[in-house]
Amino acid sequence: MKKGILINIAKALLLARWRQTLVAATGVTFSIAMFITLLSFMSGLNDLLDGLILNRTPHVKLYNDIKPNVNQPVNNIAAFKDKHNFISSVKSDAARIALYNSGAIMKNLAIDNRVLGFTPRLTAQIFFNNGSTEITGALNGIDPIKEAKLFHFNEYVTSGDAINLNNESNTIILGKGLAEKLTASIGTIVQISTSTGERFQLKVIGIFQSGLKDFDDVQSYTSIKTVQKVLIKPNDYITAIDVKLKDITLAPALAKEYAKVYELDAEDIQTANSQFETGSFIRTLISYAVGITLLVVAGFGIYNILNMMIFEKMDSIAILKATGFSGTDVKSIFIYIAVSIGIFGGLVGLLFGLIISSIIDQIPFVTAALPTIKTYPINYNPNFYIIGIIFSLITTYFAGWFPARKASKIDPVIIIRGK
Amino acid sequence: MNQTILEAKHINKYFEDPVRIKVLSDINFSINKGDFVSLTGKSGCGKSTLLYVLSTMDTAYEGEVFIDQALMPKSNESFLAKIRNEKIGFVFQFHYLLNEFNVLENVMLPGQKLAKYSKEEIEHRAYEKLKILDIEKLAFKKANQISGGEKQRVAIARALINDPHIIMGDEPTGNLDKKNSDKVFDIFTKLVSELNQTLLIVTHDESFAERTNRIIKMEDGKIIS
Ligand SMILES: Nc1ncnc2c1ncn2[C@@H]1O[C@H](COP(=O)(O)OP(=O)(O)OP(=O)(O)O)[C@@H](O)[C@H]1O
Ligand SMILES: [Mg+2]
């Protein structure tokens, strides 16, 4: 009841000055709309750029790194065990880069419920023979079905069908840049040779385009079996297992765990791609900074209008106080005014933000680097809308707080005497 | 029957502008229920100042003010606001109505603040007060669409809404012509005789003062009779 009358008074004062109120609300609307649009667009971009790398990067990659053995024989001799031994010219040992016991590891991963999926890989450094020139490249043996499921491989195969790697033997999918160098297209037979001099002929059944030129210039894909054949290795020979987790944030911890349990090297996505996090963070920061700046400007608008209103309504404030409204009541009235401008302007702003974002979402955005993208990316995350309305409430509350406090301090005696 | 409604004890007040001057010195008096008191004196003798002190709006004074036999504190702003809302009705020389509201709503405002009754009841009571003042037909007019004399009567109705212990007026007829100020005076006498309302009215108007029950005369910040 008591609150009701304060709200009524606030409403009456607002409506009596509806033109000024509208101007103030428009400021809030504009800034919230910009805030929403910016954040949706920026985070759409973030998702897109992250997707470019993160979608096809394993969360944890299990492999054997080539590095010198840390247990040099001298350290095992009792006489030198506790000493600090200087050994120079240590060479990396010729240990297999293959994963030992890969079958057992995969069995364990399959029953690990933190793991979304995994796919074995086998990579070989090869040369593509193009007439008299040799082009270095990498031949990745993959399981096309699992790669498609976990790392969206099929989305980047712009012509041909990745599944055919399984259906037809001695087939290959080339990166776009590589295919151009080799003047190869679907159906072309390309000749490759290994570092040991073995030669093979593979039929091109697809071209892929990842969007990263350096990648597309050297990479090619085939089935694991084909690579094993090329390298003359047994059929349990793989060099890496790419693991995708249910929760990406567990990656560093799990990488450590796997490295210890399986006695191999494990790299997590956060370590491998830390620069992408930074990029996303900066873009998000910019959106927030712009949004908040606009809101502060809108806040000053509200501050001004309330100050004017209080100046014009001195008499009314004096009489309210004389008839028993306390300073707190008067303060509440003006804070209600400010906050309702915030709510109204903010909600309309959210609506405009949504409209502008969906317009941007329709604008064509075609780039060779991103074959799957047709329009500008927009992220319709409801959190942006919640943050937007909370921000507008907080800013308008503070914009209203100072004038409201001034109003609450008005001494009715001075006003009444002044007449 | 002779219940004390308002009592002032040793009130002193100074203004510091630009030098310290004493505007009220050792004011002592009391007003009983049903009294119709006028406060007169030369311009600048401190009548308004005293009224603001008694009304609890001005707290920068020395001495004690009792309303309804309770000592008024000098600092608790919201408590004093409550006292003004519940126990004191004001009528000023200028009407101070809120132009955003109509006449009835203006009268209702202090009632809604007190929230002793439901909104419908307050509305009904406000309408009754307008009837006492013979302006019920103005109830739904905007406050800025009525005449000065009418506004003053609306202000009186507003002062009455919470059935205050005392109504204080600072030259409520000062801005009205003879006809309208007579009307206001008649209303005051009616309030005293019919509702046993207590009134303390500051006035310049000798003829107005003479017709009240009791005259308090001030000179240079002191009560002289
Ligand atoms: N804020 C102030 N600062 C300094 N002196 C003041 C202030 N307000 C009033 N005074 C002085 O206090 C004295 C009393 O003023 P007050 O308004 O109470 O007189 P009054 O009796 O109501 O006069 P009037 O009949 O003209 O309304 C005057 O001399 C006035 O100049
Ligand atoms: Mg005066």
Side-chain angles (χ1 to χ4, degrees), chain B residues 111-157:
Chain B
Q112 285 177 281
K113 163 69 194 170
L114 184 62
K116 196 166 133 193
Y117 303 102
S118 72
K119 192 175 174 192
E120 293 69 35
E121 229 163 317
I122 294 168
E123 199 170 332
H124 175 73
R125 290 167 59 84
Y127 199 76
E128 290 300 306
K129 304 296 179 197
L130 290 179
K131 261 189 192 158
I132 295 174
L133 295 164
D134 214 16
I135 44 171
E136 72 272 19
K137 60 183 183 305
L138 300 177
F140 298 104
K141 283 208 158 192
K142 277 270 176 236
N144 51 5
Q145 290 168 347
I146 58 176
S147 79
E150 288 165 344
K151 280 177 185 170
Q152 201 56 296
R153 279 186 277 165
V154 175
I156 297 170

Side-chain angles (χ1 to χ4, degrees), chain B residues 46-57:
Chain B
K47 307 180 294 292
S48 297
T49 309
L50 176 60
L51 201 68
Y52 298 140
V53 166
L54 296 175
S55 73
T56 77
M57 281 195 283

Side-chain angles (χ1 to χ4, degrees), chain A residues 151-217:
Chain A
F151 302 112
H152 309 270
F153 180 64
N154 53 332
E155 283 178 21
Y156 305 104
V157 177
T158 49
S159 52
D161 191 345
I163 297 297
N164 288 338
L165 288 181
N166 280 358
N167 303 340
E168 226 178 307
S169 59
N170 294 344
T171 49
I172 189 168
I173 296 178
L174 295 175
K176 191 164 184 264
L178 189 56
E180 277 164 9
K181 279 191 215 169
L182 297 171
T183 58
S185 57
I186 290 179
T188 313
I189 308 285
V190 294
Q191 181 157 260
I192 62 162
S193 55
T194 65
S195 55
T196 54
E198 308 285 334
R199 285 174 175 263
F200 284 87
Q201 297 204 323
L202 302 173
K203 185 179 153 200
V204 178
I205 56 142
I207 306 287
F208 80 90
Q209 187 183 5
S210 66
L212 302 175
K213 187 169 184 302
D214 283 350
F215 196 79
D216 295 346
D217 276 355

Side-chain angles (χ1 to χ4, degrees), chain A residues 89-328:
Chain A
S89 292
V90 180
K91 297 282 180 292
S92 300
D93 61 10
R96 299 165 39 170
I97 54 164
L99 296 182
Y100 297 91
N101 212 1
S102 58
I105 295 175
M106 288 196 271
K107 239 181 229 150
N108 278 340
L109 289 176
I111 55 167
D112 191 331
N113 58 13
R114 294 166 298 186
V115 173
L116 184 70
F118 63 90
T119 155
R121 271 176 177 246
L122 174 51
T123 304
Q125 298 303 320
I126 53 158
F127 301 102
F128 289 93
N129 303 42
N130 185 23
S132 58
T133 56
E134 282 188 330
I135 299 166
T136 49
L139 185 63
N140 299 287
I142 57 163
D143 176 341
I145 298 171
K146 281 186 166 178
E147 287 286 339
K149 207 177 101 209
L150 296 176
F151 302 112
H152 309 270
F153 180 64
N154 53 332
E155 283 178 21
Y156 305 104
V157 177
T158 49
S159 52
D161 191 345
I163 297 297
N164 288 338
L165 288 181
N166 280 358
N167 303 340
E168 226 178 307
S169 59
N170 294 344
T171 49
I172 189 168
I173 296 178
L174 295 175
K176 191 164 184 264
L178 189 56
E180 277 164 9
K181 279 191 215 169
L182 297 171
T183 58
S185 57
I186 290 179
T188 313
I189 308 285
V190 294
Q191 181 157 260
I192 62 162
S193 55
T194 65
S195 55
T196 54
E198 308 285 334
R199 285 174 175 263
F200 284 87
Q201 297 204 323
L202 302 173
K203 185 179 153 200
V204 178
I205 56 142
I207 306 287
F208 80 90
Q209 187 183 5
S210 66
L212 302 175
K213 187 169 184 302
D214 283 350
F215 196 79
D216 295 346
D217 276 355
V218 292
Q219 302 293 330
S220 66
Y221 291 95
T222 183
S223 65
I224 292 177
K225 257 199 197 67
T226 307
V227 185
Q228 285 163 348
K229 209 156 57 183
V230 166
L231 294 175
I232 323 174
K233 296 289 182 188
N235 65 3
D236 66 340
Y237 183 90
I238 55 166
T239 53
I241 299 174
D242 287 352
V243 182
K244 195 156 187 177
L245 303 175
K246 286 174 182 156
D247 179 3
I248 189 171
T249 57
L250 293 178
L254 276 184
K256 274 201 196 93
E257 181 189 320
Y258 290 150
K260 207 166 142 202
V261 173
Y262 302 129
E263 293 179 325
L264 39 66
D265 293 294
E267 188 181 58
D268 59 88
I269 189 166
Q270 282 85 346
T271 312
N273 291 290
S274 46
Q275 75 276 19
F276 279 87
E277 296 262 318
T278 319
S280 305
F281 174 74
I282 298 286
R283 280 187 291 275
T284 311
L285 193 71
I286 291 171
S287 324
Y288 275 91
V290 171
I292 289 172
T293 310
L294 290 172
L295 265 176
V296 168
V297 174
F300 274 107
I302 293 178
Y303 174 85
N304 265 332
I305 280 161
L306 279 187
N307 265 338
M308 251 160 66
M309 204 180 261
I310 287 162
F311 187 75
E312 284 172 16
K313 290 284 142 200
M314 286 288 200
D315 294 356
S316 300
I317 294 167
I319 199 65
L320 284 174
K321 291 188 107 176
T323 55
F325 287 83
S326 65
T328 320

Side-chain angles (χ1 to χ4, degrees), chain A residues 2 5-6 9 316-330 333 412 416, chain B residues 55-57 76-90 92 98 106 108-115 158-159 161-162 164:
Chain A
K2 202 187 127 185
I5 180 65
L6 297 182
I9 295 172
S316 300
I317 294 167
I319 199 65
L320 284 174
K321 291 188 107 176
T323 55
F325 287 83
S326 65
T328 320
D329 294 336
V330 172
I333 290 171
I416 291 162
Chain B
S55 73
T56 77
M57 281 195 283
N76 194 337
E77 193 261 349
S78 62
F79 175 79
L80 293 177
K82 215 170 148 211
I83 295 286
R84 289 198 292 279
N85 186 232
E86 215 179 323
K87 304 192 169 170
I88 305 173
F90 281 102
F92 301 102
L98 270 59
N106 262 289
M108 285 167 67
L109 275 178
Q112 285 177 281
K113 163 69 194 170
L114 184 62
R158 181 179 62 195
I161 187 71
N162 287 337

